[in-house]
Each structure stands twice: as C-alpha cells, then as structure tokens.
Amino acid sequence: MIRSFLFICIAMQCIFTSTYLKAQEKTVQLKGVIIDSLTKKPGEYFTIALKKDSVLLKSVISDEQGKFSFAAVDQGLYILIIGSLGYQSKQIPVKLADHTDLGKIYMKPQGNDLNEVSIVGSKPIIKQEPDRITYDTQADPESKVLTVLDMMRKVPLLSVDADDNVKLKGSGNYRILINGKPSGILTRDPKEYLKSMPAAGVQKIEVITTPPSKYESEGLSGIINIITSRKMDNGYNGNVNVRNQFPGGPSGNLNLTVKQGNFGVNVYGGTGVWQVDGIKNIDRRNSRETAVPSSLYSQGFQKIDNFWAWGGGEVSYEIDTLNLITAEVNPYGGYNQQDLNQHFDLQDGSVYSGYDMYSGTRYEWRGTDYTLNYQRGFKDKKEHLLTFSYKFFDNSEPQLNNVNFSNRVNFTGLNYKQDNTSKSKEQTMQLDYINPFKKITVEAGVKAILRNGKSNFQYLNYNVAQDNYIPDPSQSNIYSNDQNIYGAYNTYTLKLKDWTFKAGARLEVTYVTGNFESTNSTVKTDYFNLIPSISFNRTLKNSQSLSLGFTQRIQRPGIWDLNPFVDKSRPNFEYFGNPDLEAVLSNNFELTYSSFKKGSLNLSLTYNFANNTQQRVFEYIESENLTRITSLNIGKDRLLGTNVNFNYPITKKWNVNLSGNLNYIWIEGSINGVLAQNSGVTGYINLNTGYKFENTWKANVSFNYGAPNVLLQGKSNDYYFIGFSGSKDIIKDKLTFSTMVANPFQKFRAFRNYTEGVNFTQERIRENFFRRISVGLNWKFGKLEGSIKKNERSINNDDTKKSSN
C-alpha cells in the first residue's frame, strides 16, 4: 500500500512538473492576411491550420478583411496550411522564434476542380463531396471518450434509436464497411461491435448516399464506411486510448505505425466489455376477433455480459515509384451472454396458465479477415492506376439457447436447448482501372464474390426419465447457402468549367443455391441486373453548388435472413429465416444544395421507391397461442424525405452543428391475402455545440431527438439523447483526459415496439440503461517524417443486407 501511494505521488509530481515547465516556455503570435491573387480582394472565411510533426494543432478562419492570427503558440518549426473552396491549397513552412507577421499571402483560384469541399475552420470537420459526407472523428474532442456508436449520433444523415440501432436517413437497410472493405466482424449485429469500439481508434466516418458504379449495388439507403487505418509516414507514431463507462465496463485500443524507407507496418487492436444487470423486459399480447379470446403478459429482468476483442496488422511495401504491395490480417472474437428471468401469465378463454422462465442465450463470434492488394502506377500521371485485390474471411457464429421452466400452473412445456452452429466463408477478387484524361476520367473494373454459409441447428428436449437432453430430428437440420456474384462496371466523369457529370453502369449476375441436407431438398435463385448511376454537379457563385443524382440499389438477403433455424429463446414467440427470399431493387433520386463560406449548409431532397421489398412479418397462430416472426418479399415502399446539415463557427472558439432528417413513408404489403398498410412521418434532429477554453480545456453539449419508426404492422416510440463532455490536455497534444455524462436526468429509457395484425395486438417494452458516465485517457506518441503510398483502391463488398434492426 505504501509503495502504491508513493508511486502515485511521484507520477502526479512528474505530471505537474511537466505542465509547469511547459507553461514557462515562451509563446509567440503568428498572423497574416489572405488576398485573392486575381481580384486583390481580402480572402474571407479561409481555413488556416497549424501543423507540427504531422499533427494538426489548431485552426482558425480568416475574417472579412482576410486577417487571421494564432495566439500563444510555442516556439518551433511548423507548417501553415491554407485552403478554401475554389482555391488551390497552400503550405508554408514557418519557423517561430518571436512574434511573426507573414503579411499578405496570395491565394490562386483553383479553376475547374471543384468536386470536393472540406470544412476545417471549426471542429468537428465535415467534408461534402458529390456522393458522400465525411465526418472527421479525430477533429472532435469527444472522440477520446465516446464509442463509435455514440459518435454516430453526431454524423450527418445517421441516427441511433433508443435500442441502439443505427439508421441511415431513417432506414435500417444499408451496408457497413471498415476501411472500405467488408468484415466478418459485422456480419450479424454491428451495434454490439460499435458499442464496444472506442471512437479514438477511428479516423473518420463516411456516409455514401449515392454510391458510384464501382461499388456493389447493395444497400438500399447507402453505405457507412468506418476508416481506422492511418497514413504511413517515416519514423513511428502511436496512440493508446483507455476508457471506462458506468454502467458498462472498461475498453481500450492501441494503434502503432512504423515506417522505414519503402517499408511500413501498421499494428492495431482493441478490447472491451459491456456488463449490465437489471434491464426490464415486458411483453403484452391480446387476441382480437378470435373465437376464444386470449392474452399474454410477461415481465422480467435481463443481465448482459458482452466481451469483444479485435486486432490487425498491415504491411506496405513500395517496390518502386510505380509498384506497391499491401497485405493485411484482421483477427477478431467475442461473446454475448444474455440471462433473462421472466414470469408469464397466459389467459386462453377461461383457462389460466403461468410459469417462471430462465432463458440463457449465448452468442459467440470468431474469425479472421485476410487482404492482399497490388497497385501499378503509370509514368504519365500519378492518378493513372491499375489495382488488383484479393480478400478472404472465415468466421463462425455459434448460438446456444437454454430454456428452463419452474413454478408451473397448468403448463406442461418441457425444458429445452437449441444449438445453432453457423459458419461462413467469403472470397473476393477485384480488378480496377482508372485513367484521368484532360477533361474525362475513365474508371472500369471486374469483380467476383464467392460466398458460402452453413448452419447446423439442433433442438433438444429434456427427458425426465433419462435426466438428459434428447435431440428432436423434426426440429433439426443442416442448411447451407452458396451465393456467387460476378460483376463489371464502367464509369465516366466529365469536368467542365462549372459542371461535373458522372455516369456509369454496373452489370451483375448472381447465383444462389440453398441446400437442406437432412431433407435432401434444394432452393435455387439466379438473377441478372444492370444498375445505372448518374449525377450532375453545378458550381454556383459565392461558394455554392447544386447536384442531382439517380442510382438503383439492390438488397440481397443475408445468411441470417435465409437461415431457417427457428429461434425459440423467447417462449410463445418464434423467429426464423426464409430461404425463399429474393433480391429487391430500389430506385433513388437525390437533389442537393451546398453552400460553404464561414459556415456550411447542406440541403437535400430524396425520393425512392421499391416493390417486392423484404418486410418483417408477425403472425399470431391462435391454435398454438404463438407469434411467429419471419421476413417475406411482400412490401411496396415509397419515401419522400429531406436532410439538412448546418455547421457554423459563432466565434473562433465556439462552434455549432445542426443536422436533421424528415421523411414521409408509405408501406403496404399482403399478409395471408389481407392488405396491410401504414404511413407516417419519421426522422431525427441532432444539435451539437462545442467551446474551446483557454489552457486546452474543451467542452461539448449534444442533443438528439428521433421520431417513431414506421413499420408495416406498427411503429416504435420516439426517443431522445443528451450528453455533456469535456476534455483537458494534461501534456499538450500528447496526453488528454476526457469525461462524458449522458442523459443525467433519467436512469432507464423504454424502447417500445407496437405491432398489430388481423387477429392480435402486441407490444414489447425494453427498458435500457439510459444514464451513462464515461472517463477516458488518450496518449499520442512518436514522430513522423515524409510519407509512403497506400493503395488507392481496395475491396468494397457492400452487396448484402445489413440491418441494425
């Protein structure tokens, strides 16, 4: 105890001494004036950033007279970076030994290359491109304390509902990629991974709303791309982040980059736990217009123990200036243990039955992703590239359900177990070519995806006489699914003075085969699709632009949608996949207006429609007093929506960001010959504001509100989220302490799902922990010089349904 106390005292003394010595160093001021080189007028609202040792330290925005200044800057060597929409960026080496006035800095107009706009004047950074919005998480102080799931509440076009499901423009039909590539770690339930992953390990989050033809056509609403890899530079650098959340548990991640000559290595990994106890679950169901009225009411409490670990290593070797090879390995694994104790009351006419139930469900996941890329450059121009990529992943996701009954009243159901061993493998081969000519850029490529999924599921009843669990062959089977996709694409981009045109098409052929080994039966589906994509961008005066785009998207069912395994972890409710599901084609139109000056404004209008859509269907079986839930191709959907994102620096230290989405949805579908229809308004609004105090203190406040989700047979309730966070640099730009308090005024938040059919009404209520407190510590180390190339193209398999529901 004495040694521990002495160690803590010495450590605190070192920190305070370091902080004091830093305070004694002389600080200077750097200032200047931005001037348009053609008009000679002041350059207002330019972004000026100060960089040292590859680390962006601070940024400011020039005022109406083009003036800017940095106060209290330490002496040393820096790089001054200046940029704005419509101007060529400029980097100026600066050596600060005393107060420095750079005088007039002339900025040259950029000309026609206006495709990309980056807003870096105030953090967080939001980048608007013709087909996507990028959120720079490293520029957000809250990234040091939040998880990736919480960070997504702040990303334009994304929202997170009360049950932690991620939505893109209000929809759960999208695709998630990591570093532009699919990963087996996200094949089933991405929210569990995102909930345990610290945002400090993520560089940026891309929301691709109008994916060009080079992407697979899957994901009705678009693509979410999480970028974790870092640029490799000479020398080394690293980052260590540890955090603890109450309730929940600790988590952390490590990233280390080393580069020497043409050889670079990036190693990263992380782990986390999420442990909570006392989640209240309530189920209500009432029959209507049935011969014998019936009802069900259950209430219980759930305990969750979730563990996750992931890692990876990437090696990059630059053979010469034109040839580059990269290889990457990503292992991962974890489990989610859910223990539920629940009491059931059932009334069937005048007959009452009841029981207590223990349900233990354990999900596990483990696997490895392997990636190899080769890039060939050409001497005529650096953007002229030919790349080949190969990716393989192999993962396993076993599930075990253990259900026991006690305190029975008029109930004779047997205890039982379910064992579902699910495995999947995927190989992808891809060849991409890009050649930018004077005004036209040509892109083309071919791709093959070979997928195999297998599920061996068993149902075992408890035999009292044998005191053992006996398999039930009638409820057991072995199911395998092969899905092979072959595609080719071609895209052309034409840039004129004020116009940018992009058009392309993707040709895809898909072969699907499903086999039931126990019954020796087969299900086959083949389909052919030609997917167009077209967009126009018009650059207007005063840093404004207008764009219009159209694309088609495909929703292919994933292995969990096809798997006929019947999940009976909740008695009286059965969930199962449908091997007869077909792909869905959606048509998407989007009109976008953008304005970038001192602040940024982005407005978009969206309309999409689809037939034969995949809908989750609830059916009440009166004779069995049972609800069955599966997916069917019965829907007809239409959506008219608008999105807004507004980012404005009120002062150099105070920034406000507002984003929102408002949709009107029409859904209809036939269930057992009866037409079901629903419509309504859904959407969300996010408000974030941050302030940078003196002495490296930062504070942030976030507020989110989400309207109810509109479903074919019902809806969910609305929700809100409020968070307060702060951070302090203990050692400037090296060691940072952060803390966050979310929803301090309410401990639990009920997530309600209401469903109705022709003969029943049903409501499920889940009271999740709402109030959360997090503390974190982030340490950056190392020094980098120069840079090394990384592959410009990589595998992007966005071609299977990924729903957070």
Side-chain angles (χ1 to χ4, degrees), residues 140-153:
D140 189 334
E142 286 197 303
S143 65
K144 299 178 179 66
V145 68
L146 296 182
T147 65
V148 175
L149 185 70
D150 286 330
M151 186 61 67
M152 284 184 169
R153 301 179 192 273

Side-chain angles (χ1 to χ4, degrees), residues 66-83:
K67 297 179 180 179
F68 70 92
S69 67
F70 292 95
V73 181
D74 294 333
Q75 295 175 327
L77 297 174
Y78 296 87
I79 298 294
L80 192 71
I81 304 172
I82 307 172

Side-chain angles (χ1 to χ4, degrees), residues 336-491:
N336 183 288
Q337 177 70 39
Q338 301 180 13
D339 298 302
L340 175 63
N341 289 284
Q342 199 161 8
H343 176 76
F344 283 79
D345 292 310
L346 297 95
Q347 194 76 37
D348 193 6
S350 60
V351 179
Y352 167 82
S353 60
Y355 55 85
D356 291 331
M357 179 207 71
Y358 164 77
S359 173
T361 300
R362 184 179 180 89
Y363 304 96
E364 296 182 5
W365 50 86
R366 49 187 174 268
T368 306
D369 300 348
Y370 305 89
T371 306
L372 178 66
N373 299 296
Y374 168 72
Q375 177 175 292
R376 172 74 166 92
F378 297 88
K379 293 183 178 180
D380 56 344
K381 40 188 174 296
K382 65 178 183 179
E383 297 86 0
H384 188 185
L385 298 170
L386 177 68
T387 60
F388 171 77
S389 301
Y390 173 79
K391 184 178 180 68
F392 172 78
F393 76 70
D394 182 1
N395 74 326
S396 176
E397 295 181 329
Q399 175 184 343
L400 178 64
N401 299 331
N402 183 14
V403 180
N404 296 319
F405 303 102
S406 61
N407 301 322
R408 307 165 186 245
V409 178
N410 295 326
F411 178 76
T412 58
L414 298 175
N415 296 342
Y416 60 88
K417 290 183 179 180
Q418 289 184 287
D419 187 2
N420 176 33
T421 302
S422 177
K423 297 181 179 181
S424 61
K425 296 181 180 180
E426 178 175 300
Q427 296 185 77
T428 303
M429 291 153 283
Q430 177 175 320
L431 184 68
D432 294 292
Y433 175 77
I434 180 171
N435 191 355
F437 296 96
K438 186 175 181 181
K439 292 185 177 181
I440 297 179
T441 299
V442 179
E443 299 179 64
V446 293
K447 189 173 189 176
I449 306 173
L450 309 177
R451 292 192 177 102
N452 172 261
K454 190 172 185 178
S455 174
N456 183 353
F457 51 91
Q458 284 190 320
Y459 186 95
L460 304 95
N461 281 312
Y462 179 69
N463 187 296
V464 178
Q466 299 183 24
D467 190 25
N468 197 8
Y469 286 88
I470 307 300
D472 181 355
S474 67
Q475 300 187 70
S476 304
N477 209 333
I478 298 176
Y479 173 74
S480 63
N481 178 275
D482 293 316
Q483 187 181 86
N484 298 329
I485 304 156
Y486 305 94
Y489 75 90
N490 195 197
T491 301

Side-chain angles (χ1 to χ4, degrees), residues 504-555:
R506 185 176 193 90
L507 179 66
E508 292 184 348
V509 182
T510 306
Y511 302 95
V512 182
T513 303
N515 295 297
F516 298 87
E517 296 185 14
S518 301
T519 58
N520 195 28
S521 57
T522 301
V523 177
K524 288 188 176 182
T525 304
D526 303 333
Y527 45 91
F528 170 94
N529 297 101
L530 180 63
I531 308 298
S533 177
I534 186 169
S535 63
F536 306 88
N537 182 270
R538 174 71 161 94
T539 302
L540 307 174
K541 296 180 179 179
N542 300 320
S543 303
Q544 300 176 89
S545 66
L546 195 65
S547 61
L548 175 65
F550 166 75
T551 185
Q552 288 184 328
R553 305 293 294 164
I554 292 179
Q555 175 186 301

Side-chain angles (χ1 to χ4, degrees), residues 426-719:
E426 178 175 300
Q427 296 185 77
T428 303
M429 291 153 283
Q430 177 175 320
L431 184 68
D432 294 292
Y433 175 77
I434 180 171
N435 191 355
F437 296 96
K438 186 175 181 181
K439 292 185 177 181
I440 297 179
T441 299
V442 179
E443 299 179 64
V446 293
K447 189 173 189 176
I449 306 173
L450 309 177
R451 292 192 177 102
N452 172 261
K454 190 172 185 178
S455 174
N456 183 353
F457 51 91
Q458 284 190 320
Y459 186 95
L460 304 95
N461 281 312
Y462 179 69
N463 187 296
V464 178
Q466 299 183 24
D467 190 25
N468 197 8
Y469 286 88
I470 307 300
D472 181 355
S474 67
Q475 300 187 70
S476 304
N477 209 333
I478 298 176
Y479 173 74
S480 63
N481 178 275
D482 293 316
Q483 187 181 86
N484 298 329
I485 304 156
Y486 305 94
Y489 75 90
N490 195 197
T491 301
Y492 296 87
T493 303
L494 172 64
K495 295 182 180 180
L496 302 176
K497 181 179 180 181
D498 296 320
W499 288 90
T500 299
F501 303 91
K502 180 178 288 188
R506 185 176 193 90
L507 179 66
E508 292 184 348
V509 182
T510 306
Y511 302 95
V512 182
T513 303
N515 295 297
F516 298 87
E517 296 185 14
S518 301
T519 58
N520 195 28
S521 57
T522 301
V523 177
K524 288 188 176 182
T525 304
D526 303 333
Y527 45 91
F528 170 94
N529 297 101
L530 180 63
I531 308 298
S533 177
I534 186 169
S535 63
F536 306 88
N537 182 270
R538 174 71 161 94
T539 302
L540 307 174
K541 296 180 179 179
N542 300 320
S543 303
Q544 300 176 89
S545 66
L546 195 65
S547 61
L548 175 65
F550 166 75
T551 185
Q552 288 184 328
R553 305 293 294 164
I554 292 179
Q555 175 186 301
R556 292 189 183 95
I559 181 63
W560 281 101
D561 301 302
L562 299 167
N563 189 353
F565 165 67
V566 181
D567 186 345
K568 297 184 178 182
S569 56
R570 295 172 60 212
N572 304 106
F573 301 90
E574 293 182 353
Y575 301 82
F576 57 96
N578 178 8
D580 295 321
L581 286 175
E582 300 176 351
V584 178
L585 184 67
S586 172
N587 301 275
N588 303 279
F589 301 84
E590 186 167 59
L591 176 65
T592 303
Y593 166 80
S594 300
S595 176
F596 301 95
K597 294 191 76 174
K598 182 178 180 180
S600 65
L601 175 64
N602 181 273
L603 297 171
S604 64
L605 182 65
T606 302
Y607 177 72
N608 62 61
F609 64 92
N611 297 319
N612 200 35
T613 57
Q614 181 178 321
Q615 298 291 337
R616 203 176 199 192
V617 175
F618 295 72
E619 293 185 75
Y620 174 61
I621 312 302
E622 181 183 356
S623 60
E624 302 177 44
N625 202 10
L626 174 72
T627 299
R628 288 180 178 162
I629 302 101
T630 190
S631 295
L632 299 173
N633 288 113
I634 62 170
K636 182 177 181 181
D637 298 8
R638 290 178 295 153
L639 181 148
L640 178 63
T642 181
N643 298 281
V644 59
N645 182 74
F646 177 67
N647 187 74
Y648 189 79
I650 298 175
T651 68
K652 294 180 180 180
K653 298 180 179 181
W654 185 14
N655 183 80
V656 173
N657 177 262
L658 175 68
S659 62
N661 166 262
L662 185 66
N663 299 323
Y664 196 89
I665 298 175
W666 298 265
I667 310 175
E668 64 178 57
S670 179
I671 303 174
N672 293 327
V674 179
L675 182 64
Q677 293 178 311
N678 200 2
S679 62
V681 176
T682 185
Y684 68 89
I685 185 170
N686 298 333
L687 175 64
N688 301 286
T689 181
Y691 191 85
K692 296 185 289 186
F693 296 90
E694 300 294 339
N695 302 320
T696 65
W697 280 99
K698 299 173 184 177
N700 197 88
V701 178
S702 300
F703 175 79
N704 314 102
Y705 172 80
N709 294 322
V710 178
L711 309 172
L712 177 61
Q713 292 178 273
K715 65 177 182 179
S716 67
N717 62 325
D718 60 357
Y719 60 94

